[in-house]
Amino acid sequence: GRPPESTDFANYFCTYAYIYHQKDMLEDHKRTGAYYQAVLSNKRQFQGKVVLDVGTGSGILALFAAKAGAKKVYAVEATNMAKNARLLVEHNKMSHVVEVIQGTIESIELPEKVDIIISEWMGYFLLRESMLDSVLVARDRFLAPGGALYPSHASIFMAPIRSNLAAQRTSEFQNSMEGWAEFLHEMQHYYQVSLDVLSDGYRSEQKDYYLHTSQWTDTHPQQLLGPAAPIIKYDLNKLTLDELKAPLKSEFVMHMTDGGPVDALCGFFDVLFKGSDENPTDNEIRLSTAPDPTGATHWGQQTFPLHPPIDCAPGDRLRVSVEVTRRADNQRLLHVKAAVSVEGNSIYAEQSKTPREFRWNIE
Amino acid sequence: GRPPESTDFANYFCTYAYIYHQKDMLEDHKRTGAYYQAVLSNKRQFQGKVVLDVGTGSGILALFAAKAGAKKVYAVEATNMAKNARLLVEHNKMSHVVEVIQGTIESIELPEKVDIIISEWMGYFLLRESMLDSVLVARDRFLAPGGALYPSHASIFMAPIRSNLAAQRTSEFQNSMEGWAEFLHEMQHYYQVSLDVLSDGYRSEQKDYYLHTSQWTDTHPQQLLGPAAPIIKYDLNKLTLDELKAPLKSEFVMHMTDGGPVDALCGFFDVLFKGSDENPTDNEIRLSTAPDPTGATHWGQQTFPLHPPIDCAPGDRLRVSVEVTRRADNQRLLHVKAAVSVEGNSIYAEQSKTPREFRWNIE
Ligand SMILES: Nc1ncnc2c1ncn2[C@@H]1O[C@H](CSCC[C@H](N)C(=O)O)[C@@H](O)[C@H]1O
Ligand SMILES: Nc1ncnc2c1ncn2[C@@H]1O[C@H](CSCC[C@H](N)C(=O)O)[C@@H](O)[C@H]1O
């Protein structure tokens, strides 16, 4: 197979070539443990099957599949990590089952169709990295009819939270603009050059950075002001590549258990291992990245700060129209827009005539 | 002109498109002030001249040249920062003198030869970023015979220092390997997978990271154990692109004022503004990034940790054979090798039969 295109390598694949980074994922035991359970508690589904691991990294999921009794596992990895995967497979005495193939899944060939595709493709807020594209390509190219995807389903959620992030960011932004004013003064004083004309550009750069960028957080369930609402639920057996590449538009309602101010929205995801209709799992496993008092997975949650916070009362509802698009400058990064209005019997709902608009980059 | 090649954009040019980053450079007043002095204290050299600013960024050096009385300034910038440079030039009422051209210097055309090329192209340890290549291309394409480069000369230095960096890095490396041992144990225990076979790979990754990577530091002159020695001195009028791209090999001697242990070598540079033989400056300006009690420029110094430290006595000499090469995976990054032996009358010199070998990446 071919290596990734060079820009994409610089932007995306480079880190995956380090054992250090693979270790970060492997030692996220909620993650690795969920895949382990999904495979090893469903041995019947893997027994004698042909499996494809899309983006095998260290080779771990391919090894799980082999342990579960797969007849053959194709383990495809774009980066040089493939060499380590091969070492690991040999060392764990599975070379007769697992075949490591280096190249992008888009460019490699397989000698046969497969019964199961397993892959750990999820990014922040599920969709960052856009690696699900490659899994759908793999499905369309290599999955036999009736074959199963592991995971088979994925959902994105949002919840209203209390968080000091928005206030913190606002004050950092203000500090930064004060620094700019000083800087202008210095430049004038030292070099008789006026940089005023760049102030708008600087402000908008800094706003993008401080106010319009979501952040990795380990959110505590206590911060939730109401239950999380699903934005979208994907059935990966049915989802098409075109649907996935199109802007994701969704309207949903969040019920406020507590009153506001709502400082931020908290976004996270889960995936489900249900197998396929023809070959369902015996044990349905869920990997959730929801706020958890025992600590977050390596994905954490994405916190989207609200400037200024949204006022509302217990019992109110937040109606959210959300749009998630890929960034024009790098399709592996995301842009999120949301329009939020307050509904209910409170004074806040009454005052919320037009929805408020927000936007964020997921870096 | 053409935009940069896309991989190079991802790796190198991207940050320069932010005002934030240009500001970082502008407010380094030792830097910007040195260029200001080099131009404004040598007005006679700029009066009525045609100037080329290679990589104009915000446009600042082009404005200095215009202020000094240049007849015409071509200000070339690869990134979208060119648009801001144009705004700044207009706002400072210099549009009749300064013409901003967006594109790489390698791809643009000029309608005439220029008398002066000014550029701020220096990276960490002088050569990181390899932007001097572009200045030499500009010189060979556009500088009139007898024309001057600003700066005209550049030198790299190394000094023996005392620093806790090496000890710190060694202990971080050891911690990291202890973490790896625990990780192996977990992986075996939770998933019955043995990752021993990756230990060598991980160790060498972590060694590269902790022990074979130089670091930005603001070194205090008190840390110096002897005066800095020049590694190389470039006359930019004469240096060829081929010479610059070839590995830089140099042998030099550092005189120990104080005794060891020498924990690290400290690398830095200076540049000189002397004009050309035909058109020398009236006031020779030097921009130095040597350790300074009043604080470092934004380049700081590069500290190269020595593991383990080198023992030596006051009066000893360290003989260093150094080789600086471009990294194969990214030619804008550097790799440094050094062979060090102790000479003198001390017991350490006697024991130093074969030179000790060191290597570092400059990230
Ligand atoms: N299109 C593609 N073709 C092949 N490999 C890809 C790919 N896109 C991403 N990858 C690889 O997929 C891996 C995702 S990270 C998951 C690694 C491993 N399966 C685990 O669960 O621990 C990375 O190693 C990345 O390099
Ligand atoms: N080959 C090339 N062609 C055009 N611009 C280049 C270039 N290589 C680097 N640059 C630009 O050169 C600048 C170097 S930073 C210096 C900026 C400015 N002259 C100042 O002194 O403040 C960056 O803005 C970078 O984008």
Side-chain angles (χ1 to χ4, degrees), chain A residues 295-349:
Chain A
T297 66
H298 78 288
W299 288 287
Q301 295 84 32
Q302 283 291 309
T303 296
F304 301 92
L306 299 169
H307 304 270
I310 295 173
D311 280 321
C312 57
D316 281 349
R317 296 175 305 279
L318 298 188
R319 179 170 299 273
V320 184
S321 251
V322 79
E323 190 180 52
V324 183
T325 47
R326 299 176 183 209
R327 292 255 295 271
D329 55 336
N330 180 346
Q331 68 123 23
R332 294 195 183 269
L333 301 181
L334 302 175
H335 188 72
V336 179
K337 283 200 292 192
V340 184
S341 50
V342 182
E343 298 177 353
N345 300 317
S346 79
I347 177 155
Y348 306 112

Side-chain angles (χ1 to χ4, degrees), chain A residues 12-13 16 22 25-26 31 53 55-57 60-61 76-79 103-106 120 131 134:
Chain A
Y12 173 64
F13 281 102
Y16 285 119
Q22 297 286 341
M25 297 184 288
L26 289 169
R31 181 202 83 111
D53 179 3
T56 199
I60 190 77
L61 305 183
V76 178
E77 170 60 38
T79 71
T104 61
I105 194 73
E106 289 79 4
E120 199 281 80
M131 187 182 156
S134 299

Side-chain angles (χ1 to χ4, degrees), chain B residues 310-330:
Chain B
I310 295 172
D311 281 320
C312 57
D316 281 349
R317 297 176 304 278
L318 298 187
R319 179 170 299 276
V320 184
S321 252
V322 79
E323 190 180 54
V324 183
T325 47
R326 299 177 182 208
R327 291 254 295 271
D329 55 336
N330 179 348

Side-chain angles (χ1 to χ4, degrees), chain A residues 2 4 8 12-17 21-22 25-26 31-32 35 53-62 76-81 101-108 118-122 129-131 133-135 332:
Chain A
R2 286 195 312 273
D8 208 23
Y12 173 64
F13 281 102
C14 186
T15 53
Y16 285 119
H21 188 63
Q22 297 286 341
M25 297 184 288
L26 289 169
R31 181 202 83 111
T32 308
Y35 275 87
D53 179 3
V54 178
T56 199
S58 61
I60 190 77
L61 305 183
V76 178
E77 170 60 38
T79 71
N80 274 333
M81 192 49 54
I101 301 171
Q102 184 167 359
T104 61
I105 194 73
E106 289 79 4
S107 73
I108 61 115
I118 190 167
S119 182
E120 199 281 80
W121 51 264
M122 296 84 78
E129 301 186 23
S130 298
M131 187 182 156
D133 291 14
S134 299
V135 175
R332 294 195 183 269

Side-chain angles (χ1 to χ4, degrees), chain A residues 6-7 10-11 18-20 23 29 32-33 36 67 88 91-92 186 190-192 194 198 201-202 205-206, chain B residues 6-7 10-11 18-20 29 32-33 36 67 84 88 91-92 180 186 190-192 194 201-202 205-206:
Chain A
S6 63
T7 318
N11 286 326
Y18 288 94
I19 301 175
Y20 176 82
K23 171 173 176 280
H29 294 301
T32 308
Y36 182 77
K67 270 179 199 295
L88 208 62
H91 190 65
N92 287 272
E186 279 177 11
Y190 296 167
Y191 316 116
Q192 299 80 55
S194 162
L198 300 189
Y202 188 72
E205 251 179 36
Q206 295 289 292
Chain B
S6 63
T7 319
N11 286 327
Y18 288 94
I19 301 175
Y20 176 82
H29 293 301
T32 307
Y36 182 78
K67 269 180 200 296
N84 289 318
L88 207 62
H91 189 64
N92 287 272
W180 176 258
E186 278 178 12
Y190 296 167
Y191 316 116
Q192 299 80 54
S194 162
Y202 187 72
E205 251 180 37
Q206 294 289 292

